[in-house]
Amino acid sequence: MLGARHSVGASSLAFDEDRVPGVVRPQRLLIDIKDAGITFDGKGGRVVAVEKLDAQIRTHEFVSIVGPSGCGKSTILRLIGGLARPTAGRIEIDGETPNEARLARRFGFVFQQSVMLPWRTAIDNVMLPSEVMAEATLKRRDEAMRLLERVGLKGYETLYPRQLSGGMRQRVAIARALSFRPQIMLMDEPFGALDALTRQKLHALLLELWEADRKTVLFVTHDVAEAVFLSDRVLIMSPRPGRIEEEVSVDLPRPRTDATRSLPGYLALVDRILARLIH
Amino acid sequence: MTASALGVARNALPLLALLALWEVVVRLSGVAPYILPAPLQVAERMVDSLDILLPHALYSLTSILTGFVAAVVSGFVLAVMISYSRILQRLFEPLIVVLQVVPKVALAPLFLIWFGHGLAPKIIIVGTIAFFPILVNTIVGLKSAESDVIELMESVAANKAQIFWKIRLPTALPFFFPALKMAALLSVIGAMVGEFVASDRGLGHLMILANVNLETDLLFAALVIVTGIGLALYGALGWLERSVLLRFGDGSSRQLVPL
């Protein structure tokens, strides 16, 4: 009843434009983190949340950060996204500071909680960034409708967040993050609060979206299997003070499907990273 | 009969039953009318003395509405300023706590000394009483926006004004409206207190007069009108609340910060 009122041109989504199947995109350095760290002044003195962080992330890369709870994984995303300032070292996004990149709207954030405005419908939540950017045109709304269709929410556009399941709200959050075509997706345990089945569905969706344009994704999770399944590279963090202990390349074939989860190479990588985290 | 008419009837039924009981008890017991007049007698007196009651009612209504609006506007504006300025917050917070505790009703004689016997002191009393629930609840409401929503807005480089209009204000509304209704009822109390203490007009003044003359039926008639004013205000604000929260609510109601 709700779904039929929007016809869709299949490949007209803007971030599809540079979609050229089979072409290997040249990669260049996009996020350059050098010796970065952040300390918080807490009640019991200074707390070093992250220190001596070095990482390079290239364009079109899907990189995950795994680590034990409280190791500062989320803090790294906030540092890169310009929501927090490093107290040591430096971070460059394509030659800009994180804050400059944030102001240039290069980041699409997806948080563990969907962070919906309860008084807005799904489509109006997706339109929030466009409104902030004074770009809430009819064309944008059209694109937002198609985005919602792409994340599997055709027919749910005018429902309110309370009428949607947790997984559906997270789909809206992904559509919202893509709606203004940011250069980089910063995802902070986006599927952490979902059940296993919903999580698998969203893995497939995320990879499908990512295959379309290979936008750079930085994905924080404590789920090692999830990180291996999705990523080109996995950065393993130590407990607090968090630093990157090891970097693992995931050379599993793409596109990845549910069959990938039973590949020996996949299982071996998961085991190896888990072992690294436990010790 | 429509569903809403049925609803009204259901709400009115206990009230009508109480009035009937009252009527019967007064008639059977033969209690003197100056002690407890029967409802029908009060109604009769109200109709007879409408020419006296109405000007007084209008006078009271003026101070109630003016004081209420002044309290809402100033309370809201100050709440916005305080929630955005750490300096103002530090400056005002202890002051607010102390002033909240001061029984505003007890300030009435003071205001009469300062501002004379006209409408001004009544408006000021009404405003003072109605001000604090608006101020306190609006501050709480404006600060109740979750930090992750604010971060989401910051991540797309939203400015302060956008965060205010799109996030903080709608988030504050479920706190604001209950405060508005409470302030309206306090406004009626404030006007009565002002008129009790010193006035030559208003329903409060009329009640004192009727009391002295043992015209208890007139006192009740005035009381009915005051109650009607309060109910009408409360009802109108309730309607406004429902209409606005239908647009901006999240289906949950907020706990009012007690005074």
Side-chain angles (χ1 to χ4, degrees):
Chain A
M1 39 152 202
L2 286 168
R5 61 192 183 77
H6 211 82
S7 68
V8 170
S11 67
S12 52
L13 266 184
F15 50 76
D16 269 348
E17 277 161 14
D18 61 339
R19 179 176 190 174
V20 189
V23 169
V24 178
R25 290 174 177 75
Q27 294 190 329
R28 61 188 171 80
L29 183 62
L30 183 63
I31 302 172
D32 191 11
I33 306 169
K34 281 230 163 68
D35 208 26
I38 184 166
T39 54
F40 297 114
D41 288 319
K43 262 184 188 159
R46 307 202 111 190
V47 179
V48 182
V50 176
E51 68 171 2
K52 295 193 175 66
L53 193 72
D54 278 289
Q56 278 77 42
I57 289 145
R58 292 180 289 278
T59 53
H60 309 304
E61 238 190 335
F62 197 126
V63 176
S64 285
I65 301 174
V66 297
S69 292
C71 71
K73 304 188 293 283
S74 302
T75 306
I76 295 179
L77 277 199
R78 299 178 74 254
L79 286 173
I80 293 170
L83 294 175
R85 248 170 239 271
T87 48
R90 64 178 179 82
I91 299 173
E92 275 186 12
I93 319 293
D94 226 356
E96 291 178 324
T97 66
N99 203 44
E100 286 165 349
R102 176 179 68 89
L103 294 174
R105 281 124 180 181
R106 291 194 200 288
F107 304 115
F109 263 98
V110 182
F111 302 98
Q112 179 171 1
Q113 304 302 323
S114 59
V115 197
M116 297 281 120
L117 301 188
W119 56 87
R120 283 175 175 247
T121 58
I123 177 73
D124 286 334
N125 267 293
V126 174
M127 286 299 285
L128 182 69
S130 299
E131 283 174 33
V132 167
M133 297 165 198
E135 290 169 8
T137 55
L138 279 175
K139 181 167 167 276
R140 260 301 160 81
R141 205 177 173 79
D142 233 41
E143 286 170 16
M145 293 292 273
R146 264 173 277 153
L147 258 175
L148 278 175
E149 188 185 3
R150 278 194 79 184
V151 298
L153 290 179
K154 188 179 169 68
Y156 295 90
E157 298 90 347
T158 54
L159 292 190
Y160 288 91
R162 65 174 175 276
Q163 299 169 301
L164 302 173
S165 68
M168 289 162 121
R169 282 200 293 271
Q170 223 42 318
R171 288 167 191 261
V172 178
I174 291 172
R176 179 180 58 198
L178 291 170
S179 68
F180 56 101
R181 297 168 213 158
Q183 195 178 5
I184 301 162
M185 293 286 279
L186 298 177
M187 310 186 80
D188 189 1
E189 300 195 35
F191 310 139
L194 304 176
D195 63 274
L197 193 66
T198 308
R199 205 181 308 163
Q200 278 205 18
K201 284 185 189 160
L202 284 173
H203 289 160
L205 171 72
L206 180 59
L207 283 185
E208 186 192 316
L209 291 169
W210 180 75
E211 293 285 357
D213 65 345
R214 301 241 168 164
K215 200 186 289 292
T216 304
V217 177
L218 205 56
F219 190 101
V220 161
T221 178
H222 56 250
D223 181 343
V224 172
E226 176 177 76
V228 171
F229 181 73
L230 295 171
S231 318
D232 298 319
R233 272 195 301 151
V234 178
L235 310 180
I236 305 169
M237 288 194 65
S238 66
R240 180 162 287 197
R243 48 166 86 182
I244 290 167
E245 286 206 318
E246 198 185 328
E247 204 185 295
V248 178
S249 283
V250 183
D251 293 322
L252 298 170
R254 289 189 187 271
R256 295 186 189 154
T257 62
D258 283 341
T260 307
R261 294 184 211 270
S262 45
L263 291 179
Y266 166 82
L267 297 168
L269 268 180
V270 172
D271 280 347
R272 192 180 132 205
I273 295 171
L274 271 176
R276 190 79 176 84
L277 278 174
I278 287 161
H279 299 300
Chain B
M1 210 192 255
T2 65
S4 71
L6 262 172
V8 169
R10 195 170 35 230
N11 287 334
L13 211 60
L15 189 66
L16 288 174
L18 183 71
L19 289 175
L21 183 72
W22 179 353
E23 186 78 37
V24 169
V25 166
V26 167
R27 287 194 181 205
L28 291 183
S29 68
V31 62
Y34 67 85
I35 293 178
L36 186 65
L40 284 178
Q41 194 192 340
V42 171
E44 203 182 315
R45 181 65 200 260
M46 194 146 96
V47 175
D48 285 348
S49 307
L50 214 56
D51 56 330
I52 303 170
L53 284 162
L54 274 184
H56 287 293
L58 213 61
Y59 184 84
S60 297
L61 193 61
T62 309
S63 60
I64 291 170
L65 288 181
T66 317
F68 173 69
V69 170
V72 171
V73 172
S74 57
F76 183 82
V77 170
L78 192 61
V80 172
M81 286 164 58
I82 286 176
S83 64
Y84 271 92
S85 158
R86 199 155 283 188
I87 298 172
L88 282 184
Q89 190 186 338
R90 291 241 175 89
L91 218 61
F92 276 97
E93 221 162 44
L95 210 59
I96 290 169
V97 172
V98 173
L99 290 180
Q100 250 190 306
V101 177
V102 172
K104 262 71 70 180
V105 169
L107 294 177
L110 197 61
F111 288 152
L112 293 168
I113 294 173
W114 289 346
F115 305 108
H117 285 239
L119 202 55
K122 281 97 185 178
I123 293 174
I124 292 170
I125 293 166
V126 169
T128 315
I129 290 186
F131 174 73
F132 285 97
I134 300 282
L135 175 73
V136 174
N137 285 286
T138 309
I139 292 176
V140 172
L142 287 172
K143 288 186 169 185
S144 69
E146 306 271 350
S147 61
D148 48 3
V149 185
I150 304 297
E151 285 210 327
L152 172 76
M153 290 293 275
E154 286 172 347
S155 79
V156 292
N159 60 37
K160 279 210 156 76
Q162 288 171 327
I163 293 177
F164 177 78
W165 290 110
K166 290 187 191 298
I167 309 291
R168 289 200 192 276
L169 187 62
T171 311
L173 290 177
F175 294 82
F176 179 68
F177 278 106
L180 214 55
K181 290 194 283 188
M182 186 190 213
L185 299 186
L186 288 172
S187 295
V188 176
I189 295 174
M192 291 306 106
V193 168
E195 290 165 6
F196 284 166
V197 175
S199 188
D200 50 8
R201 277 198 276 174
L203 289 172
H205 162 72
L206 192 65
M207 281 193 246
I208 299 279
L209 217 62
N211 186 20
V212 172
N213 295 337
L214 288 184
E215 293 181 69
T216 313
D217 51 353
L218 183 63
L219 195 156
F220 266 104
L223 190 62
V224 168
I225 294 179
V226 175
T227 309
I229 291 175
L231 276 176
L233 264 176
Y234 196 83
L237 292 168
W239 173 83
L240 187 69
E241 177 183 31
R242 281 191 299 280
S243 336
V244 172
L245 291 193
L246 214 61
R247 172 78 183 75
F248 283 111
D250 58 0
S252 66
S253 68
R254 296 293 190 276
Q255 195 71 44
L256 199 63
V257 174
L259 282 182

